[in-house]
Coordinates of all heavy atoms in Angstrom, one line a residue:
R58 N -5.9 118.5 -38.4 CA -6.3 119.8 -38.8 C -5.7 120.9 -37.9 O -5.2 122.0 -38.4 CB -7.8 120.0 -38.8 CG -8.3 121.3 -39.2 CD -9.8 121.4 -39.3 NE -10.3 120.6 -40.5 CZ -10.5 121.2 -41.7 NH1 -10.2 122.4 -41.9 NH2 -10.9 120.4 -42.7
I59 N -5.7 120.6 -36.6 CA -5.1 121.6 -35.7 C -3.6 121.8 -35.9 O -3.1 122.9 -35.9 CB -5.5 121.2 -34.3 CG1 -7.0 121.4 -34.0 CG2 -4.7 122.0 -33.2 CD1 -7.5 120.9 -32.7
F60 N -2.9 120.7 -36.1 CA -1.5 120.8 -36.3 C -1.2 121.6 -37.6 O -0.3 122.4 -37.6 CB -0.9 119.4 -36.5 CG -0.3 118.9 -35.2 CD1 -1.1 118.3 -34.2 CD2 1.1 118.9 -34.9 CE1 -0.6 117.8 -33.0 CE2 1.6 118.4 -33.8 CZ 0.8 117.9 -32.8
E61 N -2.0 121.4 -38.6 CA -1.8 122.2 -39.8 C -2.2 123.6 -39.7 O -1.4 124.5 -40.1 CB -2.7 121.5 -41.0 CG -2.5 122.2 -42.3 CD -3.4 121.6 -43.4 OE1 -3.8 120.4 -43.2 OE2 -3.5 122.2 -44.5
E62 N -3.4 123.9 -39.2 CA -3.9 125.3 -39.2 C -3.1 126.2 -38.2 O -3.0 127.4 -38.3 CB -5.4 125.3 -38.9 CG -6.2 124.7 -40.0 CD -7.7 125.2 -39.9 OE1 -8.0 126.2 -39.2 OE2 -8.5 124.6 -40.7
Y63 N -2.6 125.6 -37.1 CA -1.9 126.4 -36.1 C -0.3 126.2 -36.2 O 0.4 126.6 -35.4 CB -2.3 126.0 -34.7 CG -3.7 126.5 -34.4 CD1 -4.8 125.9 -34.8 CD2 -3.8 127.8 -33.8 CE1 -6.1 126.4 -34.5 CE2 -5.1 128.3 -33.5 CZ -6.2 127.6 -33.8 OH -7.4 128.2 -33.6
A64 N 0.1 125.6 -37.3 CA 1.5 125.4 -37.7 C 2.3 124.9 -36.5 O 3.4 125.4 -36.2 CB 2.1 126.8 -38.1
I65 N 1.8 123.9 -35.8 CA 2.5 123.2 -34.7 C 3.6 122.3 -35.4 O 3.3 121.6 -36.3 CB 1.6 122.4 -33.9 CG1 0.5 123.2 -33.3 CG2 2.3 121.7 -32.8 CD1 -0.6 122.4 -32.6
P66 N 4.8 122.4 -35.0 CA 5.9 121.6 -35.6 C 5.5 120.1 -35.6 O 5.1 119.6 -34.6 CB 7.1 121.9 -34.7 CG 6.8 123.2 -34.1 CD 5.3 123.3 -33.9
R67 N 5.7 119.5 -36.7 CA 5.3 118.1 -36.8 C 6.0 117.2 -35.9 O 5.5 116.2 -35.4 CB 5.5 117.6 -38.3 CG 5.0 118.5 -39.4 CD 3.5 118.6 -39.3 NE 2.8 117.4 -39.7 CZ 1.4 117.3 -39.7 NH1 0.7 118.3 -39.4 NH2 0.9 116.1 -40.1
G68 N 7.2 117.6 -35.5 CA 8.0 116.8 -34.5 C 7.3 116.7 -33.2 O 7.6 115.7 -32.4
E69 N 6.4 117.6 -32.9 CA 5.7 117.5 -31.6 C 4.8 116.3 -31.4 O 4.6 115.8 -30.3 CB 4.8 118.8 -31.4 CG 5.6 120.1 -31.1 CD 6.2 120.0 -29.7 OE1 5.7 119.3 -28.8 OE2 7.2 120.8 -29.5
K70 N 4.4 115.7 -32.6 CA 3.6 114.5 -32.6 C 4.3 113.3 -31.9 O 3.7 112.4 -31.4 CB 3.2 114.1 -34.0 CG 2.2 115.1 -34.6 CD 1.8 114.5 -36.0 CE 0.8 115.4 -36.6 NZ 0.3 114.8 -37.9
H71 N 5.7 113.4 -31.9 CA 6.4 112.3 -31.3 C 6.7 112.5 -29.8 O 7.3 111.7 -29.2 CB 7.8 112.2 -32.1 CG 7.6 111.9 -33.5 ND1 7.1 110.8 -34.1 CD2 8.0 112.7 -34.6 CE1 7.1 110.8 -35.4 NE2 7.6 112.0 -35.7
H72 N 6.2 113.7 -29.3 CA 6.5 114.0 -27.9 C 5.3 114.2 -27.1 O 5.4 114.6 -25.9 CB 7.3 115.3 -27.9 CG 8.6 115.2 -28.6 ND1 9.6 114.4 -28.3 CD2 9.0 115.9 -29.8 CE1 10.6 114.5 -29.2 NE2 10.3 115.4 -30.1
I73 N 4.1 113.8 -27.7 CA 2.9 113.9 -26.9 C 2.1 112.6 -27.0 O 2.0 112.0 -28.1 CB 2.0 115.1 -27.3 CG1 1.6 115.1 -28.7 CG2 2.7 116.4 -26.9 CD1 0.5 116.1 -29.1
D74 N 1.5 112.2 -25.9 CA 0.5 111.1 -25.9 C -0.9 111.6 -25.8 O -1.1 112.3 -24.8 CB 0.9 110.1 -24.8 CG 0.0 108.9 -24.8 OD1 -0.3 108.3 -25.8 OD2 -0.5 108.6 -23.6
V75 N -1.7 111.3 -26.7 CA -3.1 111.8 -26.7 C -4.1 110.6 -26.5 O -4.1 109.7 -27.4 CB -3.5 112.6 -28.0 CG1 -4.9 113.1 -27.9 CG2 -2.5 113.7 -28.2
A76 N -4.8 110.6 -25.4 CA -5.6 109.4 -25.1 C -7.1 109.9 -25.0 O -7.4 110.8 -24.2 CB -5.2 108.8 -23.8
L77 N -8.0 109.3 -25.8 CA -9.4 109.6 -25.8 C -10.2 108.5 -25.3 O -10.1 107.3 -25.7 CB -9.8 110.0 -27.2 CG -11.3 110.3 -27.5 CD1 -11.6 111.6 -26.8 CD2 -11.5 110.4 -29.0
R78 N -11.1 108.8 -24.3 CA -12.1 107.8 -23.8 C -13.4 108.4 -23.8 O -13.6 109.6 -23.7 CB -11.7 107.4 -22.4 CG -10.3 106.9 -22.2 CD -10.0 106.7 -20.7 NE -10.1 108.0 -20.0 CZ -9.2 109.0 -20.0 NH1 -8.1 108.9 -20.8 NH2 -9.4 110.1 -19.3
S79 N -14.5 107.6 -24.0 CA -15.8 108.1 -24.0 C -16.8 107.1 -23.4 O -16.7 105.9 -23.6 CB -16.2 108.4 -25.5 OG -17.6 108.9 -25.6
D80 N -17.8 107.6 -22.7 CA -18.9 106.8 -22.2 C -20.2 107.1 -22.9 O -21.3 106.8 -22.4 CB -19.1 106.9 -20.7 CG -19.3 108.4 -20.2 OD1 -19.5 109.3 -21.1 OD2 -19.5 108.6 -19.0
I81 N -20.1 107.8 -24.1 CA -21.3 108.2 -24.8 C -21.6 107.1 -25.9 O -20.7 106.7 -26.7 CB -21.0 109.5 -25.6 CG1 -20.6 110.6 -24.6 CG2 -22.3 110.0 -26.3 CD1 -20.1 111.9 -25.3
P82 N -22.8 106.6 -25.9 CA -23.2 105.5 -26.9 C -23.0 106.0 -28.3 O -23.2 107.2 -28.6 CB -24.6 105.3 -26.6 CG -24.8 105.6 -25.1 CD -23.9 106.8 -24.9
L83 N -22.6 105.2 -29.2 CA -22.3 105.5 -30.6 C -23.5 105.4 -31.5 O -24.3 104.5 -31.3 CB -21.2 104.6 -31.1 CG -19.8 104.6 -30.4 CD1 -18.9 103.6 -31.0 CD2 -19.2 106.0 -30.3
E84 N -23.6 106.3 -32.4 CA -24.6 106.2 -33.5 C -26.0 106.1 -33.0 O -26.9 105.4 -33.5 CB -24.3 105.0 -34.4 CG -22.9 105.1 -35.1 CD -22.6 104.0 -36.0 OE1 -23.3 102.9 -35.9 OE2 -21.6 104.0 -36.8
K85 N -26.3 106.9 -31.9 CA -27.7 106.9 -31.4 C -28.3 108.4 -31.4 O -29.3 108.6 -30.8 CB -27.7 106.4 -30.0 CG -27.2 105.0 -29.8 CD -28.0 104.0 -30.7 CE -27.3 102.6 -30.6 NZ -28.0 101.7 -31.5
G86 N -27.6 109.3 -32.0 CA -28.0 110.7 -31.9 C -27.6 111.4 -30.6 O -28.3 112.3 -30.2
M87 N -26.5 110.9 -30.0 CA -26.1 111.4 -28.7 C -24.8 112.2 -28.8 O -24.1 112.4 -27.8 CB -26.0 110.3 -27.7 CG -27.3 109.6 -27.5 SD -27.3 108.2 -26.3 CE -27.1 109.2 -24.8
A88 N -24.5 112.7 -30.0 CA -23.3 113.6 -30.2 C -22.0 113.0 -29.8 O -21.1 113.7 -29.4 CB -23.6 114.9 -29.4
S89 N -21.9 111.7 -29.9 CA -20.6 111.1 -29.6 C -19.5 111.6 -30.4 O -18.3 111.8 -30.0 CB -20.7 109.5 -29.7 OG -21.0 109.1 -31.0
S90 N -19.7 111.8 -31.7 CA -18.7 112.2 -32.6 C -18.3 113.7 -32.4 O -17.1 114.0 -32.3 CB -19.2 112.1 -34.1 OG -18.2 112.5 -35.0
T91 N -19.3 114.5 -32.2 CA -19.0 115.9 -31.8 C -18.2 116.0 -30.5 O -17.3 116.8 -30.4 CB -20.3 116.7 -31.7 OG1 -21.0 116.8 -32.9 CG2 -20.0 118.2 -31.2
A92 N -18.6 115.2 -29.5 CA -17.9 115.3 -28.3 C -16.4 114.9 -28.5 O -15.5 115.5 -27.9 CB -18.5 114.3 -27.3
D93 N -16.2 113.9 -29.3 CA -14.8 113.4 -29.6 C -13.9 114.6 -30.2 O -12.8 114.9 -29.8 CB -14.8 112.2 -30.5 CG -15.2 110.9 -29.8 OD1 -15.3 110.9 -28.6 OD2 -15.3 109.9 -30.5
I94 N -14.5 115.1 -31.3 CA -13.7 116.1 -32.0 C -13.5 117.4 -31.3 O -12.5 118.1 -31.3 CB -14.2 116.3 -33.5 CG1 -15.6 116.9 -33.5 CG2 -14.1 115.0 -34.3 CD1 -16.2 117.1 -34.9
A95 N -14.6 117.8 -30.5 CA -14.5 119.0 -29.7 C -13.5 118.8 -28.6 O -12.7 119.7 -28.2 CB -15.8 119.4 -29.1
A96 N -13.4 117.6 -28.0 CA -12.4 117.3 -27.0 C -11.0 117.4 -27.5 O -10.1 117.9 -26.8 CB -12.7 115.9 -26.4
V97 N -10.8 116.9 -28.7 CA -9.4 117.0 -29.3 C -9.0 118.4 -29.5 O -7.9 118.8 -29.1 CB -9.4 116.2 -30.6 CG1 -8.1 116.5 -31.3 CG2 -9.6 114.7 -30.4
A98 N -10.0 119.2 -30.0 CA -9.7 120.7 -30.2 C -9.4 121.4 -28.9 O -8.4 122.1 -28.8 CB -10.8 121.3 -30.9
L99 N -10.2 121.2 -27.9 CA -10.0 121.8 -26.6 C -8.8 121.4 -25.9 O -8.0 122.2 -25.4 CB -11.2 121.6 -25.8 CG -11.3 122.3 -24.4 CD1 -11.1 123.8 -24.5 CD2 -12.5 121.9 -23.6
G100 N -8.5 120.0 -26.0 CA -7.3 119.5 -25.3 C -6.0 120.0 -25.9 O -5.1 120.4 -25.2
L101 N -5.9 120.0 -27.2 CA -4.7 120.5 -27.9 C -4.6 122.0 -27.7 O -3.5 122.5 -27.5 CB -4.7 120.2 -29.4 CG -4.6 118.7 -29.7 CD1 -4.6 118.5 -31.2 CD2 -3.3 118.1 -29.2
S102 N -5.7 122.7 -27.7 CA -5.6 124.2 -27.5 C -5.1 124.5 -26.1 O -4.2 125.3 -25.9 CB -7.0 124.8 -27.6 OG -7.0 126.2 -27.3
A103 N -5.5 123.7 -25.1 CA -5.0 123.9 -23.7 C -3.6 123.5 -23.6 O -2.8 124.2 -22.9 CB -5.9 123.1 -22.7
Y104 N -3.2 122.4 -24.2 CA -1.8 121.9 -24.0 C -0.8 122.8 -24.7 O 0.2 123.1 -24.1 CB -1.7 120.5 -24.6 CG -0.4 119.9 -24.4 CD1 -0.1 119.2 -23.2 CD2 0.7 119.9 -25.3 CE1 1.1 118.6 -22.9 CE2 1.9 119.3 -25.1 CZ 2.1 118.7 -23.9 OH 3.3 118.1 -23.6
F105 N -1.1 123.3 -25.9 CA -0.2 124.1 -26.7 C -0.5 125.6 -26.5 O 0.1 126.5 -27.2 CB -0.3 123.8 -28.2 CG 0.4 122.5 -28.5 CD1 -0.4 121.4 -28.9 CD2 1.7 122.3 -28.4 CE1 0.1 120.2 -29.2 CE2 2.3 121.0 -28.7 CZ 1.5 120.0 -29.1
D106 N -1.5 126.0 -25.6 CA -1.8 127.4 -25.4 C -2.2 128.1 -26.7 O -1.7 129.2 -27.0 CB -0.7 128.1 -24.7 CG -1.1 129.4 -24.0 OD1 -2.3 129.5 -23.8 OD2 -0.3 130.3 -23.8
L107 N -3.1 127.5 -27.4 CA -3.5 128.1 -28.7 C -4.6 129.1 -28.6 O -4.9 129.8 -29.5 CB -4.0 126.9 -29.6 CG -3.0 125.8 -29.9 CD1 -3.7 124.7 -30.8 CD2 -1.7 126.3 -30.5
G108 N -5.3 129.2 -27.4 CA -6.2 130.3 -27.2 C -7.5 130.1 -27.9 O -8.2 131.2 -28.2
M109 N -7.9 128.9 -28.3 CA -9.2 128.7 -29.0 C -10.4 129.1 -28.0 O -10.4 128.7 -26.9 CB -9.4 127.3 -29.4 CG -8.4 126.8 -30.4 SD -8.9 125.1 -30.9 CE -7.3 124.6 -31.7
D110 N -11.4 129.8 -28.6 CA -12.6 130.0 -27.8 C -13.7 129.1 -28.3 O -13.4 128.3 -29.2 CB -13.1 131.5 -27.9 CG -13.4 132.0 -29.3 OD1 -13.5 131.1 -30.2 OD2 -13.5 133.2 -29.5
D111 N -14.9 129.1 -27.7 CA -15.9 128.2 -28.1 C -16.3 128.3 -29.6 O -16.6 127.3 -30.3 CB -17.2 128.5 -27.3 CG -16.9 128.4 -25.8 OD1 -16.1 127.5 -25.4 OD2 -17.4 129.2 -25.0
R112 N -16.3 129.5 -30.1 CA -16.7 129.7 -31.5 C -15.7 129.1 -32.5 O -16.0 128.5 -33.5 CB -16.9 131.2 -31.8 CG -18.1 131.8 -31.2 CD -18.2 133.3 -31.3 NE -19.4 133.8 -30.8 CZ -20.5 134.1 -31.5 NH1 -20.5 133.9 -32.8 NH2 -21.6 134.6 -31.0
R113 N -14.4 129.3 -32.1 CA -13.4 128.7 -32.9 C -13.4 127.2 -32.9 O -13.3 126.5 -34.0 CB -12.0 129.1 -32.4 CG -10.8 128.6 -33.2 CD -10.9 128.9 -34.7 NE -9.8 128.4 -35.5 CZ -9.9 128.0 -36.8 NH1 -11.0 128.1 -37.4 NH2 -8.8 127.5 -37.4
I114 N -13.7 126.6 -31.8 CA -13.9 125.1 -31.7 C -15.1 124.7 -32.6 O -15.0 123.7 -33.3 CB -14.0 124.7 -30.3 CG1 -12.7 124.9 -29.6 CG2 -14.4 123.2 -30.2 CD1 -12.7 124.6 -28.1
A115 N -16.2 125.5 -32.5 CA -17.3 125.2 -33.3 C -17.0 125.2 -34.8 O -17.4 124.3 -35.6 CB -18.5 126.1 -33.0
E116 N -16.2 126.2 -35.2 CA -15.8 126.3 -36.6 C -15.0 125.1 -37.1 O -15.2 124.6 -38.2 CB -14.9 127.6 -36.8 CG -15.7 128.9 -36.8 CD -14.8 130.1 -36.8 OE1 -13.6 129.9 -36.7 OE2 -15.3 131.2 -36.9
L117 N -14.1 124.7 -36.2 CA -13.3 123.5 -36.6 C -14.1 122.2 -36.7 O -13.9 121.4 -37.5 CB -12.2 123.3 -35.5 CG -11.0 124.4 -35.6 CD1 -10.2 124.3 -34.3 CD2 -10.1 124.2 -36.8
C118 N -15.1 122.1 -35.8 CA -15.9 120.9 -35.8 C -16.8 120.9 -37.0 O -16.9 119.8 -37.7 CB -16.8 120.9 -34.5 SG -15.9 120.5 -33.0
I119 N -17.4 122.0 -37.4 CA -18.2 122.1 -38.6 C -17.4 121.8 -39.9 O -18.0 121.2 -40.8 CB -18.9 123.5 -38.7 CG1 -20.0 123.6 -37.6 CG2 -19.5 123.7 -40.1 CD1 -20.5 125.0 -37.5
A120 N -16.2 122.1 -39.9 CA -15.3 121.8 -41.1 C -15.1 120.3 -41.3 O -14.8 119.9 -42.4 CB -14.0 122.5 -40.9
I121 N -15.4 119.5 -40.2 CA -15.2 118.1 -40.3 C -16.6 117.4 -40.5 O -16.6 116.4 -41.3 CB -14.6 117.5 -39.0 CG1 -13.1 118.0 -39.0 CG2 -14.6 116.0 -38.9 CD1 -12.4 117.7 -37.7
E122 N -17.6 117.9 -39.9 CA -18.9 117.2 -40.0 C -20.0 118.2 -39.5 O -19.8 119.1 -38.8 CB -19.0 115.9 -39.2 CG -18.9 116.1 -37.7 CD -19.2 114.9 -36.9 OE1 -19.4 113.8 -37.6 OE2 -19.3 115.0 -35.7
P123 N -21.3 117.9 -40.0 CA -22.4 118.6 -39.3 C -22.4 118.3 -37.8 O -22.2 117.2 -37.4 CB -23.6 118.0 -40.0 CG -23.1 117.5 -41.3 CD -21.8 117.0 -41.0
T124 N -22.5 119.3 -37.0 CA -22.2 119.2 -35.6 C -23.3 119.7 -34.6 O -24.2 120.4 -35.0 CB -20.8 119.8 -35.3 OG1 -20.4 119.5 -34.0 CG2 -21.0 121.4 -35.4
D125 N -23.1 119.3 -33.4 CA -24.0 119.9 -32.3 C -23.3 121.0 -31.7 O -22.1 121.3 -32.0 CB -24.2 118.8 -31.3 CG -25.0 117.6 -31.8 OD1 -26.2 117.6 -31.8 OD2 -24.4 116.6 -32.3
N126 N -24.0 121.7 -30.8 CA -23.4 123.0 -30.2 C -23.0 122.8 -28.8 O -23.2 123.6 -27.9 CB -24.3 124.1 -30.4 CG -25.7 123.9 -29.8 OD1 -26.1 122.8 -29.5 ND2 -26.5 125.0 -29.6
L127 N -22.4 121.6 -28.5 CA -22.1 121.3 -27.1 C -20.8 121.9 -26.6 O -20.5 121.8 -25.4 CB -22.0 119.7 -27.0 CG -23.3 119.0 -27.3 CD1 -23.0 117.5 -27.5 CD2 -24.3 119.3 -26.3
M128 N -20.1 122.6 -27.4 CA -18.9 123.3 -27.0 C -19.2 124.7 -26.3 O -18.3 125.3 -25.8 CB -17.9 123.5 -28.2 CG -18.4 124.4 -29.3 SD -19.7 123.6 -30.3 CE -18.9 122.2 -31.0
F129 N -20.4 125.1 -26.3 CA -20.8 126.4 -25.7 C -21.3 126.2 -24.3 O -22.0 125.2 -24.0 CB -21.9 127.0 -26.6 CG -21.5 127.5 -27.9 CD1 -21.6 126.6 -29.0 CD2 -20.8 128.7 -28.1 CE1 -21.2 127.0 -30.3 CE2 -20.4 129.0 -29.4 CZ -20.6 128.2 -30.5
P130 N -21.0 127.1 -23.4 CA -21.5 126.9 -22.0 C -22.9 127.3 -21.8 O -23.5 126.9 -20.8 CB -20.6 127.9 -21.2 CG -20.2 128.9 -22.2 CD -20.1 128.2 -23.6
R131 N -23.5 128.0 -22.8 CA -24.9 128.3 -22.7 C -25.7 127.8 -23.9 O -25.1 127.6 -25.0 CB -25.1 129.9 -22.6 CG -24.5 130.5 -21.3 CD -24.6 132.0 -21.4 NE -26.0 132.4 -21.3 CZ -26.7 132.6 -20.2 NH1 -26.1 132.4 -19.0 NH2 -27.9 133.0 -20.2
L132 N -27.0 127.6 -23.7 CA -27.8 127.2 -24.9 C -27.8 128.2 -26.0 O -27.9 129.4 -25.7 CB -29.3 126.9 -24.4 CG -29.5 125.7 -23.4 CD1 -30.9 125.6 -23.0 CD2 -29.0 124.4 -23.9
N133 N -27.8 127.8 -27.2 CA -28.1 128.7 -28.3 C -28.7 127.9 -29.5 O -28.6 126.7 -29.6 CB -26.8 129.4 -28.7 CG -25.7 128.5 -29.1 OD1 -25.8 127.8 -30.2 ND2 -24.6 128.4 -28.4
L134 N -29.3 128.7 -30.4 CA -29.9 128.1 -31.6 C -28.8 128.1 -32.6 O -28.3 129.2 -33.0 CB -31.1 128.9 -32.0 CG -32.0 128.3 -33.1 CD1 -32.6 127.0 -32.7 CD2 -33.1 129.3 -33.5
F135 N -28.4 126.9 -33.1 CA -27.1 126.7 -33.8 C -27.4 126.2 -35.2 O -28.3 125.4 -35.4 CB -26.3 125.7 -32.9 CG -24.9 125.5 -33.4 CD1 -23.9 126.5 -33.3 CD2 -24.6 124.3 -34.1 CE1 -22.6 126.3 -33.7 CE2 -23.3 124.1 -34.5 CZ -22.3 125.1 -34.3
K136 N -26.5 126.6 -36.1 CA -26.6 126.1 -37.5 C -25.6 125.0 -37.6 O -24.4 125.2 -37.6 CB -26.2 127.2 -38.5 CG -27.2 128.4 -38.4 CD -26.7 129.5 -39.3 CE -27.5 130.8 -39.2 NZ -27.0 131.9 -40.0
P137 N -26.0 123.7 -37.7 CA -25.1 122.6 -37.6 C -24.2 122.4 -38.8 O -23.2 121.7 -38.8 CB -26.0 121.4 -37.4 CG -27.3 121.8 -38.0 CD -27.4 123.3 -37.8
C138 N -24.7 122.9 -40.0 CA -24.0 122.6 -41.2 C -23.1 123.8 -41.7 O -22.3 123.7 -42.7 CB -24.9 122.3 -42.3 SG -25.9 120.8 -42.0
G139 N -23.2 124.9 -41.0 CA -22.4 126.1 -41.4 C -22.3 127.0 -40.2 O -23.3 127.1 -39.4
W140 N -21.2 127.7 -40.1 CA -21.0 128.5 -38.9 C -22.1 129.5 -38.6 O -22.5 130.2 -39.5 CB -19.7 129.2 -38.8 CG -19.6 130.1 -37.7 CD1 -19.3 131.4 -37.8 CD2 -19.7 129.8 -36.3 NE1 -19.4 132.0 -36.5 CE2 -19.6 131.0 -35.6 CE3 -20.0 128.7 -35.6 CZ2 -19.7 131.1 -34.3 CZ3 -20.1 128.7 -34.3 CH2 -19.9 129.9 -33.6
G141 N -22.5 129.6 -37.4 CA -23.4 130.7 -36.9 C -24.3 130.3 -35.9 O -24.8 129.1 -35.8
C142 N -24.6 131.2 -34.9 CA -25.7 131.0 -34.0 C -26.8 131.9 -34.4 O -26.6 133.1 -34.6 CB -25.2 131.4 -32.6 SG -23.9 130.4 -31.9

Side-chain angles (χ1 to χ4, degrees):
R58 179 176 289 273
I59 289 172
F60 265 80
E61 179 180 347
E62 293 202 10
Y63 285 86
I65 301 172
R67 309 299 289 183
E69 287 290 337
K70 291 184 177 183
H71 302 294
H72 302 296
I73 60 170
D74 179 47
V75 183
L77 178 66
R78 302 171 304 282
S79 179
D80 60 2
I81 305 168
L83 302 178
E84 299 180 348
K85 304 300 177 187
M87 300 181 71
S89 60
S90 181
T91 296
D93 284 354
I94 60 178
V97 172
L99 182 58
L101 290 179
S102 177
Y104 187 86
F105 289 112
D106 195 23
L107 302 178
M109 294 185 200
D110 60 13
D111 305 320
R112 289 174 175 261
R113 178 56 180 151
I114 291 174
E116 289 173 348
L117 288 166
C118 289
I119 288 171
I121 292 175
E122 66 169 6
T124 188
D125 297 272
N126 56 344
L127 299 168
M128 63 289 298
F129 294 94
R131 296 177 66 86
L132 296 179
N133 58 66
L134 189 61
F135 186 74
K136 301 175 185 177
C138 299
W140 169 240
C142 294

